[in-house]
Amino acid sequence: MFESSTYEVRQKISIGSKYVVYEEDDTAGDETPILSAKKKKFKLKEDFRLDDYETGEERFRVKADSVLDVSAAYDIVDSQTGDRVGAVKRGAFSFAKHTYQLLGPNGSVVGRIVEDNVPMAVARRFITTLIPFSYRVENAAGDPVGAIDEAFSLRDTYSIDVDRDEIDPRLLVVGAVVIDAIEEN
C-alpha cells in the first residue's frame, strides 16, 4: 500500500460521502482498491476513518482540530502505528481559488495544494460543480511535485499523481479525500 506514484479516488453514491481509493501499479498499470472511507453528514467537528479496502481494518483517522472548518487543520494519523502522518490546513480564504497547506508530522509546511486557474474556479462556484476541478501540488519551495485532476462525471472521480521523493503519498492521497469531503465537491 502506497508504493505507487499514481492513485485514483472514486466517490460512491450513498448518504454522506463514501470514497474508494485505488493504487495504480506503476509497472503493470493495474489498479487495486486500497482504502475506503465514509464521512457522515452534519458533524460539527469532522472525524472520519479510512479503512483497508479488503479487511475493513482502520488504517487512517482524520480529525479536525476545531469546530469551524474555515480555520481547521485536519490531522491525519496512521491507525496502525499511532504516528501522525501530517495534516491538511486550509490556506488563506479565497472564494476564487482554494489553497491548502500540507503539514508534515512535526507541523512544518511540506507542500501546498493549489486550485487551478481563477476563471474555472469561479465558474465551478457560480455556474455548476459539474466543471471538473484540478489542483497543482507544490513542495514547500513552490516547485510542482504532483497534480490532482478530476474526470467529468456526476460523482467525483479524480486522479492523483505525486513525486514520492517530495511528498508522502499517504499525506497527499488522504489529504485529497479530506479536501473533497469538506468542500463537498
Side-chain angles (χ1 to χ4, degrees):
M1 185 179 297
F2 290 102
E3 301 293 323
S4 179
S5 59
T6 306
Y7 301 85
E8 184 170 279
V9 178
R10 299 178 193 155
Q11 186 179 31
K12 303 297 182 185
I13 296 173
S14 73
I15 295 174
S17 299
K18 185 174 182 179
Y19 301 89
V20 176
V21 177
Y22 296 83
E23 181 172 33
E24 185 175 305
D25 181 335
D26 286 339
T27 56
D30 298 333
E31 286 185 341
T32 304
I34 58 171
L35 295 173
S36 62
K38 186 171 184 176
K39 175 189 168 272
K40 294 178 182 167
K41 291 263 189 208
F42 310 118
K43 290 196 71 148
L44 284 177
K45 189 171 180 180
E46 300 296 341
D47 180 6
F48 60 100
R49 317 296 165 104
L50 289 93
D51 301 324
D52 184 288
Y53 185 81
E54 288 190 16
T55 67
E57 189 174 328
E58 183 181 304
R59 292 303 303 261
F60 298 95
R61 183 179 317 119
V62 179
K63 189 164 183 140
D65 66 357
S66 71
V67 174
L68 296 173
D69 76 1
V70 171
S71 62
Y74 296 86
D75 288 320
I76 301 167
V77 175
D78 184 318
S79 299
Q80 304 293 305
T81 64
D83 294 338
R84 185 174 189 254
V85 173
V88 176
K89 183 174 175 73
R90 186 174 292 184
F93 182 73
S94 168
F95 187 75
K97 192 172 180 179
H98 292 167
T99 301
Y100 294 86
Q101 294 177 331
L102 296 172
L103 308 176
N106 64 0
S108 65
V109 175
V110 297
R112 277 177 289 289
I113 298 173
V114 182
E115 196 169 14
D116 62 0
N117 65 52
V118 173
M120 291 296 284
V122 170
R124 267 191 295 281
R125 287 164 189 60
F126 284 114
I127 299 172
T128 179
T129 59
L130 292 177
I131 297 172
F133 66 80
S134 65
Y135 292 90
R136 91 179 156 271
V137 181
E138 302 173 344
N139 62 17
D143 301 321
V145 295
I148 303 171
D149 293 299
E150 183 181 28
F152 180 78
S153 72
L154 294 177
R155 297 306 272 167
D156 292 344
T157 300
Y158 48 95
S159 62
I160 301 169
D161 295 303
V162 59
D163 180 338
R164 298 172 44 79
D165 295 329
E166 294 283 338
I167 301 284
D168 182 341
R170 300 174 304 162
L171 176 59
L172 182 58
V173 171
V174 174
V177 172
V178 169
I179 291 168
D180 190 78
I182 63 175
E183 293 293 337
E184 296 182 353
N185 287 325

